[in-house]
Amino acid sequence: MIYRHRVGIREYRFEGLAQLMARATPLRSGDVLAGIAASSAEERVAAMRALAEVPLKRFLEEWLIPYESDEVTRLIADRHDPQAFEPVADLCVGEFRDWLLSDSADETALAALRQGLTPEMTAAVSKLMRVQDLILVARKCRVVSRFRNTLGLGGRLSTRLQPNHPTDDPSGIAASLVDGLLYGNGDAVIGINPATDNVPAVARLLHMLDEVIRSYEIPTQSCVLTHVTNTLQVIEQGAPVDLVFQSIAGTQKANESFGISLSLLREAHEAGLSLRRGSVGDDLMYFETGQGSALSADAHHGVDQQTCEARAYAVAREFRPLLVNTVVGFIGPEYLYDGKQIIRAGLEDHFCAKLLGVPMGCDICYTNHAEADQDDMDMLLTLLGNAGINFIMGIPGSDDVMLNYQTTSFHDALYARQVLGLRPAPEFEAWLERMGIFDAAGRIAVAEQLPAPFARALEALR
């Protein structure tokens, strides 16, 4: 179908919904690299005006990637709930934006709408929104998940404690782990990116993390971020697997480049459930995503990178995850060139995921060759904290010494909690108080000496 909009004496034509969506997307380097971005600000505005007039029902009639050739499209189509969609079925994209910003779209209404929305609908409406719009609507969405604690509750901000080490040295990992716990980090997960990604190394790290969590009775969960096939192997070997991790994308071809399929994820999900290691819930999948992954695999099918990213959330939603996060600036400036593009992308990702019912976090990060710095990350952290992000990363000094990128630190989580009046997950907060790490007001307790268990742990590392 051809979409048109006139600006002055010039008429802009957009050949199909995928091209219209791409041209309406705020400027980002990945879409320029793919050759699908608007050629000018005027064309972008024309595309946005044309997109605003598209009925939401059109997204159920014109699939951006064909149903017959893409299992993610089939998942989106087959899981769509017409009854949940009914309240907004007669709206166009622009009207949908207005409704989302209205008082009628409260937490209850948005939760009821989740299964009626497709990722393409959420991506489309996000393209018409200012930063404050993305924050306001996302803040109204509450997505709660549970394993050994409860994540995503109102007034809470959780963190992934990420004690990576360039050689997977147990002492180095343990030192970072203790440091993070003493700053109140780790309620979302204690998650390690292994430097040596093989099954024996993964098993060793899992046993180490399990011993720490059991020894100190920490109400949290562990994860070694290895390929899902490695996780299946260590489960078969009896390793203590809490969360099953996998990077995912929004097209079948991109997921194939990761070596995965929906059937493989289902197998891994069932294997994780069979272990019954959760205490307050069984949400055990952990997914990571990021704008640009489909393009980097030459698997975007002419669809803009933000819409491809939103489609990944349909994959995540299928498996009731505990955690999902966009590693927003990690792929590099080829896809998100500078701080402004990274900030906008992080807010878009969070907005789309929350509308779709995904428990969303963000790795607020950048690579050292991007036109971004820690001030940009402070801005995104503050904006996402106001938008109700479920969790962020906590890393010593903001500098991941294994992955070599810049992200948020233990101190950044303290800042966000203090300034925005947020607290850790309730079970974890109670543990912090019992251990004497936090006081009853949620502040770091000032003591003359470390809590005895941590003092012994640090002594053992010397």
Side-chain angles (χ1 to χ4, degrees), residues 178-455:
V178 170
D179 190 22
L181 291 171
L182 290 173
Y183 280 103
N185 282 248
D187 50 338
V189 64
I190 301 173
I192 299 174
N193 298 92
T196 306
D197 193 19
N198 59 54
V199 170
V202 168
R204 284 194 298 272
L205 292 173
L206 284 168
H207 283 287
M208 173 189 172
L209 292 177
D210 183 60
E211 182 179 355
V212 170
I213 289 173
R214 286 189 296 103
S215 296
Y216 299 113
E217 299 180 329
I218 309 172
T220 190
Q221 37 281 325
S222 70
C223 186
V224 175
L225 282 71
T226 187
H227 194 272
V228 68
T229 53
N230 288 342
T231 302
L232 282 168
Q233 289 187 59
V234 295
I235 288 175
E236 291 174 359
Q237 295 172 8
V241 174
D242 290 342
L243 304 188
V244 175
F245 169 81
Q246 183 55 49
S247 295
I248 58 173
T251 74
Q252 178 178 333
K253 186 178 177 182
N255 282 325
E256 288 172 350
S257 76
F258 290 151
I260 62 168
S261 64
L262 295 179
S263 61
L264 179 60
L265 293 178
R266 288 191 183 97
E267 179 185 353
H269 185 218
E270 291 169 3
L273 288 172
S274 72
L275 301 180
R276 301 181 182 274
R277 291 178 58 83
S279 57
V280 299
D282 62 358
D283 303 324
L284 56 81
M285 299 300 285
Y286 176 14
F287 296 118
E288 285 190 343
T289 67
Q291 289 194 27
S293 59
L295 175 59
S296 66
D298 192 25
H300 61 103
H301 301 276
V303 176
D304 68 272
Q305 66 182 38
Q306 188 242 334
T307 301
C308 284
E309 169 72 5
R311 285 169 53 93
Y313 307 149
V315 177
R317 183 172 64 178
E318 176 73 1
F319 301 98
R320 294 189 299 106
L322 180 75
L323 306 168
V324 179
N325 71 272
T326 169
V327 193
V328 65
F330 184 74
I331 302 182
E334 300 86 355
Y335 305 96
L336 295 169
Y337 179 73
D338 56 16
K340 182 175 182 178
Q341 292 187 13
I342 292 171
I343 290 169
R344 172 82 194 190
L347 293 169
E348 289 170 348
D349 295 349
H350 178 244
F351 165 89
C352 291
K354 283 293 186 65
L355 272 183
L356 292 167
V358 171
M360 196 65 175
C362 184
D363 191 342
I364 301 166
C365 64
Y366 64 100
T367 57
N368 288 312
H369 62 308
E371 292 295 321
D373 58 27
Q374 212 63 41
D375 285 343
D376 296 310
M377 301 305 102
D378 286 349
M379 285 188 278
L380 181 52
L381 169 61
T382 306
L383 294 171
L384 284 171
N386 278 288
I389 195 83
N390 279 30
F391 70 101
I392 61 170
M393 304 298 120
I395 293 175
S398 301
D399 185 5
D400 192 299
V401 295
M402 196 281 282
L403 293 173
N404 292 310
Y405 77 117
Q406 309 303 311
T407 181
T408 44
S409 71
F410 303 145
H411 302 78
D412 293 331
L414 280 181
Y415 150 77
R417 285 170 173 166
Q418 290 172 2
V419 169
L420 301 175
L422 303 171
R423 297 178 293 162
E427 301 90 343
F428 191 78
E429 182 180 40
W431 178 82
L432 290 171
E433 292 181 23
R434 288 198 304 271
M435 294 295 290
I437 297 171
F438 275 17
D439 63 20
R443 300 169 300 197
I444 291 182
V446 178
E448 294 182 1
Q449 59 186 16
L450 289 172
F454 291 99

Side-chain angles (χ1 to χ4, degrees), residues 100 106-107 109-115 117 122 134-145 151-154 156-157 310 313-314 317 322 324 326 346-362 384-391:
L100 288 171
D106 58 15
E107 182 178 332
L110 291 172
L113 186 63
R114 291 170 183 169
Q115 297 298 325
L117 296 178
T122 66
L134 297 170
I135 293 170
L136 175 61
V137 176
R139 187 179 179 88
K140 294 192 288 185
C141 300
R142 184 67 51 203
V143 184
V144 177
S145 57
L151 306 175
L153 295 171
R156 305 281 175 171
L157 174 66
Y313 307 149
R317 183 172 64 178
L322 180 75
V324 179
T326 169
L347 293 169
E348 289 170 348
D349 295 349
H350 178 244
F351 165 89
C352 291
K354 283 293 186 65
L355 272 183
L356 292 167
V358 171
M360 196 65 175
C362 184
L384 284 171
N386 278 288
I389 195 83
N390 279 30
F391 70 101

Side-chain angles (χ1 to χ4, degrees), residues 100-111:
L100 288 171
L101 294 171
S102 74
D103 292 337
S104 298
D106 58 15
E107 182 178 332
T108 301
L110 291 172

